[in-house]
Amino acid sequence: MKQVHTLDRVVIRFAGDSGDGMQLTGDRFTADSAVFGNDISTLPNFPAEIRAPAGTLPGVSSFQLHFANYDIMTPGDRPDVLVAMNPAALKANIADLPRGGVIIADTADFTKRNLAKVGYDANPLEDDSLADYQVHALDLTGMTVEAVKPFGLSRKDAARAKNMFALGLLSWLYHRPTEGTLNFLSAKFANKPDIRDANLTAFKTGYAFGETTETFAVTYEVAPAPMPAGRYRQISGNLALAYGLVTAARKAGLPLFLGAYPITPASDVLHELSKHKRFGVTTFQAEDEIAGVGAALGASFAGHLGVTTTSGPGISLKSETIALGVMTELPLIICDIQRAGPSTGMPTKTEQADLLQVMFGRNGEAPVPVLAAQSPADCFPTAIEAVRIAVKYRTPVIVLSDGYIANGAEPWPVPDVAAIPTIDPQFAGSANAVDKAGNPAFLPYLRDPETLARPWAIPGTPGLQHRIGGIEKARDTGAVSYDPANHDEMVRTRAAKVAGIVRDIPDLVVDDPADPDARSASDDRPAGGVGGRPPTQTQPHARVLVLGWGSTYGPIVAAVRRVRKTGRQVAYTHLRHLNPFPANLGAILRAYDRVIVPEMNLGQLALLLRAEYLVDVQSYSRVRGQPISLSELARDLEAEVDATEGVLT
């Protein structure tokens, strides 16, 4: 009987060539862990090259999964277990594995040629270079090929099932349920019986190998995480974004039109929305980025919910049409799934460097609301919020996500759709003025006195003939105008309309250890906070505030929890609304002695905060194409807290 060790968390990284099925393997292990009840967080990592040579470092694909029996915020900095399918996978990832970590390596590809290809002079599985790790060198490929012989596959096709052998072995090692994967494989390859049976056999053989081998003396259990009662599913950021857009369109009673050009890492939104015609969704794969946004804006003009998806390079191309949306004052949703730049940059790596571009990257004064999702599941409510603002205020709205959020996954409590508030498009249905002769007239730029939004009239509505376009509009009538005073008024009015959205933005909430119930029991476990109570002049609070936006949320929260465990006081808060900012943001910034802003750019939000509030916020920048390291951030926050306490006490 093998020993069973109980753990509270594990980080596993599957790594191999692009053709080794590491993304599928990681996704299935994640799904089985989610079904088991663990909290999960994932980080897929793709090669930037479309067809990188096999066995090379640029061709390594990996999938990292963090699963735990408590609430976790990140996919983990460093893996506890590395599954390496070839020498390139080992070399590309070994630096991240801590001493004592587990290596499960497929020996089949550790040939002299493959070792030399990545710069190994000797086989690291046979010399002492890996003495600091627990190494399990197994012929995964050979055992897979032998197991699937009855199905008559070529050796090449048979070897492709080695990822399922590895998945079966890891499923046994960590007591994962197997029914989900077995059902998945049966359905996925239902039309290819030999392939189906080979994958099923490889998976079962890997599981059985774990049970019978003497290689592993210990197995591990990670108990389910306590979660509020409800129905959950695993969801990625792009999937949640697509679901949020569909839900918002249905709540507004609007057909959804997506005009998009495929681009990494945004393409999955196009792929997903194309499946939902039954919900009134039309998808148009345009010939380029400009055509995609132009079609989306045209759909908005026609009374649809116009949406376009892209990444940073596409935002550059769409900027003129977004400005046209500002001038015509039509609802339009622009989803920017950010990636590392500039130019093509590192298209499969993550970054947050588009903030200034989406804020100011248009000619003239062309302000638009900007929102940022903080996690994969948060893409759903962020999309709904963006649609609500766009429809109510008749304006383009930009939603920021990034590669980390888009491809990562976490548990998502499936919402009660009936409880989501409706969105009333309030289409113009009749004349809103009278002409000089006293006859009914329609003024397309006669504004709502509260929101400053103009009426949205569907073309062809009797009595509501009007014209809009990119040339400056006269007040109320929308006629072409070159009058200087009118231009000044319209520019200021459009800016005031966007600024006025702050009335619909909730006050920012600060999590501050001033709350006597604040505590944390482990690196990533929850700490208490002051909930909705921002610090006041009389309320004691931490001296250091960490402020983030977008996908820095997970690393920030996890790092703050770790710092608090040491007894240090540090507060944090996070922005969803980046334009306009929440009304109480300035007061919060001025309440702390030091404000630190972690970003995956060179300090773009920090620049905006300094300009807006004249507060000397401190930028914490990392532009590595990877999420900010929670361990590194926690260590640096400890130093900041110590320095602040030392200087000010």
Side-chain angles (χ1 to χ4, degrees):
M1 185 72 177
K2 296 184 180 181
Q3 294 182 353
V4 179
H5 286 185
T6 300
L7 304 174
D8 60 359
R9 56 179 290 276
V10 176
V11 180
I12 298 177
R13 184 180 298 176
F14 298 92
D17 271 332
S18 294
D20 286 338
M22 294 296 93
Q23 303 304 322
L24 176 62
T25 305
D27 186 69
R28 290 313 314 160
F29 197 96
T30 300
D32 291 337
S33 297
V35 168
F36 185 73
N38 297 128
D39 195 15
I40 57 171
S41 182
T42 69
L43 179 62
N45 193 2
F46 306 95
E49 289 79 2
I50 295 175
R51 293 188 181 276
T56 64
L57 295 176
V60 174
S61 174
S62 67
F63 188 105
Q64 182 162 306
L65 162 67
H66 185 187
F67 61 104
N69 64 3
Y70 60 89
D71 173 34
I72 56 175
M73 304 306 302
T74 75
D77 283 349
R78 310 180 74 183
D80 303 301
V81 180
L82 172 63
V83 179
M85 305 303 282
N86 59 24
L90 177 65
K91 186 159 191 178
N93 293 281
I94 188 63
D96 293 335
L97 193 69
R99 289 186 177 182
V102 175
I103 298 172
I104 299 176
D106 183 3
T107 59
D109 278 344
F110 278 73
T111 63
K112 182 177 293 186
R113 181 173 180 271
N114 288 339
L115 291 167
K117 192 182 295 186
V118 295
Y120 277 126
D121 295 326
N123 189 339
L125 302 179
E126 298 174 353
D127 60 22
D128 293 330
S129 60
L130 300 178
D132 291 334
Y133 307 98
Q134 302 177 55
V135 180
H136 302 283
L138 307 170
D139 186 6
L140 302 180
T141 298
M143 288 188 284
T144 301
V145 171
E146 185 66 25
V148 303
K149 268 186 178 180
F151 306 108
L153 301 176
S154 67
R155 178 178 175 82
K156 181 178 180 181
D157 288 339
R160 286 176 177 165
K162 64 184 178 183
N163 63 324
M164 289 298 105
F165 187 102
L167 179 59
L169 173 59
L170 269 293
S171 297
W172 166 82
L173 189 60
Y174 288 96
H175 295 257
R176 300 294 89 186
T178 60
E179 294 81 3
T181 292
L182 294 174
N183 292 336
F184 171 84
L185 293 173
S186 297
K188 181 177 177 64
F189 299 110
N191 296 327
K192 300 177 180 178
D194 290 345
I195 301 298
R196 177 198 61 203
D197 293 342
N199 278 281
L200 289 170
T201 300
F203 177 78
K204 293 175 182 178
T205 304
Y207 196 98
F209 173 77
E211 288 184 322
T212 57
T213 185
E214 298 300 323
T215 301
F216 299 94
V218 176
T219 63
Y220 303 93
E221 284 186 346
V222 179
M227 293 184 180
R231 183 184 178 194
Y232 289 82
R233 63 157 294 169
Q234 172 191 344
I235 201 164
S236 68
N238 277 348
L239 184 58
L241 183 63
Y243 285 178
L245 292 169
V246 173
T247 302
R250 299 289 288 183
K251 286 294 178 177
L254 299 173
L256 189 156
F257 179 92
L258 174 70
Y261 180 76
I263 184 172
T264 302
S267 298
D268 286 342
V269 183
L270 169 62
H271 300 159
E272 182 61 32
L273 287 177
S274 68
K275 303 174 184 177
H276 298 295
K277 296 178 182 178
R278 66 188 184 281
F279 293 124
V281 177
T282 300
T283 52
F284 168 54
Q285 182 173 316
E287 65 267 29
D288 56 37
E289 296 281 4
I290 299 172
V293 69
L297 185 60
S300 293
F301 175 63
H304 291 55
L305 176 62
V307 180
T308 190
T309 53
T310 189
S311 190
I315 291 291
S316 302
L317 294 167
K318 295 179 189 290
S319 61
E320 184 177 6
T321 304
I322 297 171
L324 177 60
V326 172
M327 180 64 81
T328 57
E329 300 190 48
L330 287 168
L332 177 67
I333 305 298
I334 306 101
C335 302
D336 178 6
I337 319 300
Q338 301 166 95
R339 72 189 202 191
S343 187
T344 306
M346 298 193 295
T348 60
K349 311 303 178 184
T350 194
E351 203 161 271
Q352 289 182 300
D354 295 351
L355 178 56
L356 294 182
Q357 178 180 217
V358 299
M359 286 284 290
F360 307 115
R362 294 166 293 281
N363 64 300
E365 297 286 346
V368 298
V370 178
L371 287 73
Q374 68 185 27
S375 69
D378 189 54
C379 288
F380 180 82
T382 301
I384 295 174
E385 170 75 349
V387 172
R388 183 187 66 81
I389 291 173
V391 170
K392 180 175 180 178
Y393 289 90
R394 315 295 199 233
T395 178
V397 176
I398 294 178
V399 176
L400 291 175
S401 176
D402 59 44
Y404 175 26
I405 291 176
N407 297 316
E410 64 182 353
W412 177 52
V414 178
D416 178 5
V417 176
I420 299 174
T422 58
I423 301 171
D424 187 355
Q426 296 184 322
F427 287 119
S430 60
N432 58 4
V434 294
D435 60 19
K436 294 179 180 179
N439 299 316
F442 177 66
L443 301 179
Y445 282 83
L446 184 64
R447 300 179 183 277
D448 179 280
E450 179 181 354
T451 65
L452 300 180
R454 75 171 189 86
W456 189 8
I458 298 178
T461 303
L464 302 187
Q465 296 88 344
H466 66 286
R467 62 180 181 182
I468 59 176
I471 300 179
E472 184 60 278
K473 302 291 173 285
R475 173 183 177 177
D476 298 343
T477 68
V480 172
S481 174
Y482 291 95
D483 177 67
N486 177 80
H487 178 58
D488 185 273
E489 179 182 358
M490 293 295 280
V491 166
R492 295 180 187 277
T493 300
R494 288 188 290 264
K497 179 179 73 170
V498 173
I501 295 170
V502 71
R503 294 187 297 269
D504 287 353
I505 297 174
D507 278 350
L508 199 59
V509 174
V510 178
D511 187 312
D512 192 300
D515 188 334
D517 293 330
R519 62 178 62 89
S520 59
S522 183
D523 290 349
D524 288 335
R525 288 177 179 164
V530 298
R533 304 193 303 274
T536 66
Q537 293 292 332
T538 58
Q539 176 188 330
H541 56 80
R543 288 174 168 172
V544 174
L545 171 71
V546 186
L547 172 67
W549 68 276
S551 66
T552 58
Y553 175 76
I556 287 173
V557 175
V560 165
R561 290 174 180 175
R562 186 173 294 186
V563 172
R564 289 180 182 175
K565 186 185 175 186
T566 70
R568 295 173 172 87
Q569 288 197 337
V570 60
Y572 75 88
T573 189
H574 210 77
L575 290 168
R576 169 181 285 174
H577 297 86
L578 297 167
N579 190 41
F581 289 128
N584 66 332
L585 177 56
I588 289 174
L589 295 178
R590 288 186 284 271
Y592 289 88
D593 299 313
R594 187 166 299 185
V595 179
I596 300 169
V597 181
E599 301 181 79
M600 291 187 291
N601 57 45
L602 294 182
Q604 296 185 17
L605 177 60
L607 177 67
L608 294 175
L609 295 176
R610 291 189 191 108
E612 182 74 16
Y613 300 108
L614 301 180
V615 173
D616 187 21
V617 302
Q618 180 177 332
S619 176
Y620 185 94
S621 296
R622 298 293 185 271
V623 279
R624 301 166 177 168
Q626 300 174 338
I628 288 177
S629 163
L630 79 91
S631 299
E632 184 180 3
L633 178 58
R635 183 174 61 250
D636 293 340
L637 285 179
E638 289 176 7
E640 290 290 347
V641 172
D642 290 345
T644 303
E645 296 289 340
V647 169
L648 297 173
T649 55

